[in-house]
Amino acid sequence: MKFVYEGKTKTVFELEDGNYLLKFKDDVTGEDGIFDPGANTVGLTIEGAGKTGLRLTKFFFELLEKKGIPTHFVNANIEETTMTVKPAQMFGNGLEVICRYRAVGSFLRRYGMYAEEGQELDGFVEVTLKDDARQDPPISEDALAMLGILSHDEYKRLKELTREIGAVVKAELQKKGIDLYDIKLEFGRAGDNKEITLIDEISGGNMRAYKNGDYIEPLKLGELILSE
């Protein structure tokens, strides 16, 4: 097992068989002790967040695979908070794709002149560059294509998958009376055919969810979704 890099919420290792091992940490993104899935820094550490995040990721990735949506998931060891995944090539230096159902977070900060907090957005998809130094700037389809990050056809597929995945997650949360406000996803090209594939994770740390109008913090959200 070879160390590759340490990210904000996971440590990555390369395995001898060509797959990768993700070690989930208890760190979550945010600022000044306040959770924010769109933040570029680790804002706080929540004991148990890594294990809960992995359990939730395993749950959703297995569900998506059953629905024919490609992911890089191979298997997970919950007790060791590790997940084995297939290799995937990032788009450029990485993209984040957000599916928004309500106006909150950076969307509201940017467009507050026109949007009201909590306003319905009907699964609006936007793409941002993974670029901490520039605060993960949003980027358009044309700019992505002109810069050689992805093609127009790949953008179309990325958008389709984001809406499909968002709808699956939203429906699962609704079973528990929980409203999904937004979710952040990551994708890569996997396999010999370079199929666009969901990578990274789906956990409470990369979505905002509310119940009866009250925000649910990541650890509690995972417990609610996974409860019988």
Side-chain angles (χ1 to χ4, degrees), residues 9-10 24 53 57 61 72 184-185 199-203 205-206:
T9 59
K10 287 181 282 303
F24 282 60
T57 296
F61 275 32
H72 70 162
K184 179 180 67 178
L185 305 171
I199 64 173
D200 195 43
E201 66 178 287
I202 295 182
S203 71
N206 62 348

Side-chain angles (χ1 to χ4, degrees), residues 89-95 149-150 154 158 187-189 196-197:
Q89 177 191 29
M90 291 192 303
F91 295 101
N93 292 317
L95 301 175
I149 298 172
L150 52 70
E154 286 178 321
L158 198 73
F187 296 87
R189 301 181 182 98
I196 296 180
T197 299

Side-chain angles (χ1 to χ4, degrees), residues 13-14 27 43 45 61 67 72 84 143 212:
F13 301 89
E14 184 177 3
D27 296 334
T45 299
F61 275 32
K67 294 179 178 294
H72 70 162
T84 303
N212 299 322

Side-chain angles (χ1 to χ4, degrees), residues 21-200:
L21 188 77
L22 309 183
K23 172 71 174 177
F24 282 60
K25 300 191 288 186
D26 285 342
D27 296 334
V28 297
T29 56
E31 293 182 5
D32 301 324
I34 299 173
F35 165 70
D36 182 350
N40 297 316
T41 57
V42 171
L44 63 161
T45 299
I46 303 173
E47 185 177 355
K51 182 176 288 189
T52 300
L54 176 56
R55 289 179 63 214
L56 202 54
T57 296
K58 179 177 184 290
F59 170 80
F60 277 121
F61 275 32
E62 290 178 340
L63 178 61
L64 292 169
E65 289 281 0
K66 289 178 183 177
K67 294 179 178 294
I69 295 173
T71 79
H72 70 162
F73 179 80
V74 176
N75 57 53
N77 185 319
I78 303 300
E79 289 308 310
E80 295 184 4
T81 59
T82 59
M83 181 169 76
T84 303
V85 300
K86 294 174 285 189
Q89 177 191 29
M90 291 192 303
F91 295 101
N93 292 317
L95 301 175
E96 293 181 341
V97 189
I98 303 99
C99 190
R100 299 185 182 278
Y101 297 99
R102 297 274 185 166
V104 290
S106 61
F107 182 93
L108 189 63
R109 290 193 293 272
R110 291 196 305 267
Y111 308 124
M113 181 181 290
Y114 300 96
E116 296 180 1
E117 185 172 4
Q119 176 181 331
E120 293 190 9
L121 298 177
D122 195 27
F124 170 71
V125 175
E126 66 177 340
V127 179
T128 69
L129 298 177
K130 290 191 74 172
D131 186 344
D132 290 350
R134 296 172 177 82
Q135 300 296 305
D136 293 349
I139 186 167
S140 69
E141 175 185 353
D142 286 344
L144 286 164
M146 284 187 290
L147 293 172
I149 298 172
L150 52 70
S151 68
H152 287 287
D153 286 342
E154 286 178 321
Y155 181 90
K156 180 180 179 182
R157 180 60 177 154
L158 198 73
K159 191 172 179 179
E160 288 174 349
L161 280 172
T162 298
R163 283 189 166 154
E164 289 178 21
I165 295 164
V168 170
V169 176
K170 192 172 189 288
E172 285 300 313
L173 267 61
Q174 285 177 336
K175 292 178 183 178
K176 305 287 186 176
I178 300 168
D179 296 316
L180 179 64
Y181 275 35
D182 61 29
I183 182 168
K184 179 180 67 178
L185 305 171
E186 294 189 33
F187 296 87
R189 301 181 182 98
D192 294 337
N193 62 352
K194 304 298 183 184
E195 181 180 28
I196 296 180
T197 299
L198 178 69
I199 64 173
D200 195 43

